[in-house]
Amino acid sequence: AVKAEHLRSHALKEAAEVRKGLLVAAIFGVSTAAQVYVGVKCISFRGEWERDAHVLTAQGVLFGVAVLLINVESWLLKRLVHALTAEVGFFVPEFHSHPLYFHPSVPNHKCDLCRNKTGQVYRCPLCDWDACPACFNKKDRSTGEGVLRGDKGVKSGGALTTSQYFRRGLKLALPQLPLFGVALLCVVTTSALRLFLPNFQGQIFDHVI
């Protein structure tokens, strides 16, 4: 079953999403009103500057910069709101490599660990990975990701560098080295024949014609 604090946290998140939407809409409204005000001032403002073309150009540029800064400020405020209200999720490295987010109602989904159907999941949106509440509450390291399973138990796989992958690949291929050599020779021979065959075919056609 889902823990009560997770259900309360999700309910608070849903309420916060509504307030965040209202705040973003208010920011958009204020930004739009400010741009309309600048546009009205640009059209209706009159003064001695109209007699000088250079001042008129400078005034138009300044009004354009004001509109640009209003949009930048609105964008930064929206980014700040989203950053401050971002959901942290549940990060258990030995269980899954990305944070998991609780969803109370997801129809027709299966747990990627026990393969049972579930409507409530802890979901990873990055790799489309789901865990049911029962598996998530266990957090059994032996059923998680990123581990090596063997006769001696579970061992963490860890991150491998490119050189380590290459050395392990060579170690696996070493017993089959003669077979790899023959395969490589066949590939080189086939490529060479494809390269020179059109020339031989052209000479044959020349002799026949």
Side-chain angles (χ1 to χ4, degrees), residues 28 42 56 74 90 132 135 138 166 168 185 192 196-197 199:
F28 175 77
C42 183
L56 179 62
S74 173
F90 304 95
C132 66
C135 292
K138 290 178 183 177
F166 183 71
R168 290 191 178 188
L185 180 62
F196 293 106
L197 188 59
N199 185 29

Side-chain angles (χ1 to χ4, degrees), residues 20 75-88:
K20 183 173 72 174
W75 178 76
L76 290 175
L77 283 174
K78 286 189 288 186
R79 288 292 301 271
L80 178 63
V81 170
H82 286 296
L84 292 177
T85 58
E87 188 179 2
V88 178

Side-chain angles (χ1 to χ4, degrees), residues 52-207:
D52 192 335
H54 296 290
V55 178
L56 179 62
T57 302
Q59 190 258 355
V61 171
L62 290 175
F63 274 125
V65 170
V67 172
L68 176 63
L69 292 177
I70 291 171
N71 282 278
V72 171
E73 184 179 8
S74 173
W75 178 76
L76 290 175
L77 283 174
K78 286 189 288 186
R79 288 292 301 271
L80 178 63
V81 170
H82 286 296
L84 292 177
T85 58
E87 188 179 2
V88 178
F90 304 95
F91 182 52
V92 186
E94 65 272 11
F95 188 64
H96 189 69
S97 56
H98 303 129
L100 301 176
Y101 301 92
F102 175 68
H103 293 268
S105 179
V106 182
N108 301 322
H109 269 248
K110 287 185 178 181
C111 175
D112 287 308
L113 294 175
C114 65
R115 310 305 300 173
N116 291 328
K117 286 187 177 181
T118 178
Q120 296 177 323
V121 297
Y122 292 85
R123 182 172 178 78
C124 174
L126 294 176
C127 50
D128 192 21
W129 190 87
D130 303 318
C132 66
C135 292
F136 180 82
N137 291 334
K138 290 178 183 177
K139 294 185 179 64
D140 187 1
R141 186 168 177 267
S142 63
T143 61
E145 295 184 327
V147 294
L148 300 175
R149 301 172 180 86
D151 296 336
K152 296 182 179 180
V154 176
K155 182 175 69 173
S156 178
L160 296 178
T161 62
T162 304
S163 59
Q164 288 175 329
Y165 271 116
F166 183 71
R167 286 197 297 269
R168 290 191 178 188
L170 287 180
K171 189 181 295 185
L172 291 173
L174 192 60
Q176 307 297 332
L177 194 59
L179 183 60
F180 275 102
V182 173
L184 182 61
L185 180 62
C186 291
V187 170
V188 172
T189 304
T190 304
S191 299
L193 290 175
R194 287 180 178 178
L195 181 64
F196 293 106
L197 188 59
N199 185 29
F200 293 146
Q201 288 178 340
Q203 292 178 5
I204 292 174
F205 286 140
D206 289 340
H207 287 297

